[in-house]
Amino acid sequence: MPAMVGAQMPTTELGLGMFRIETEVAFTDQDRQLGLMNRKSMPLQHGMVFVFTQDARHCMWMKNTLLPLSVAFLDDKGRILNIEDMLPQTEDSHCAAGPARYALEMNQGWFRERGFKVGDAVRGIERLPAGR
């Protein structure tokens, strides 16, 4: 189960390839709505994982988000369905290519620069709480 960090969202460690990723876990409606809004920076190996209540073609946007991000939409097993780059402070929809249970946001280019692609699996998904 993810650890709580003060009044912030809980955190947990995920893995992709040889990389460890410290992630904040957005699993409530309120946390998913807030996401990474109003943040000015994010450490390199950090991200945010969004946990949805059901598999669907979920979409993300960047309203009030100051950082350029990349989002990987993941199925219920943690496999990457697609990766989208998102520009700061835009309201463009970036949607999953198929039924997704999770979305992992990282600094823009993080997945591409490390060679990750559709079908690669994120480790540690089974430790995430169910979305609510």
Side-chain angles (χ1 to χ4, degrees), residues 16 21 44-45 106-114 116:
L16 188 55
I21 307 166
L44 184 62
Q45 294 302 111
M106 301 291 290
N107 286 306
Q108 191 170 87
W110 191 91
F111 299 101
R112 180 180 58 256
E113 291 162 8
R114 287 156 186 79
F116 295 115

Side-chain angles (χ1 to χ4, degrees), residues 9-22:
M9 293 178 210
T11 62
T12 195
E13 183 179 294
L14 298 177
L16 188 55
M18 64 182 231
F19 297 94
R20 292 176 32 217
I21 307 166
E22 276 303 311

Side-chain angles (χ1 to χ4, degrees), residues 3 6-8 19 21 30 33 45 48 55 63-64 68 73 75-77 82 86 88 94 98 101 106 112 116 118:
Q8 301 174 357
F19 297 94
I21 307 166
Q30 181 179 350
Q33 288 172 11
Q45 294 302 111
M48 180 173 286
D55 295 348
K63 183 176 182 176
N64 298 324
F73 290 97
D75 68 12
D76 63 345
K77 303 279 192 265
N82 60 306
M86 304 185 294
H94 303 274
R101 177 59 59 99
M106 301 291 290
R112 180 180 58 256
F116 295 115
V118 171

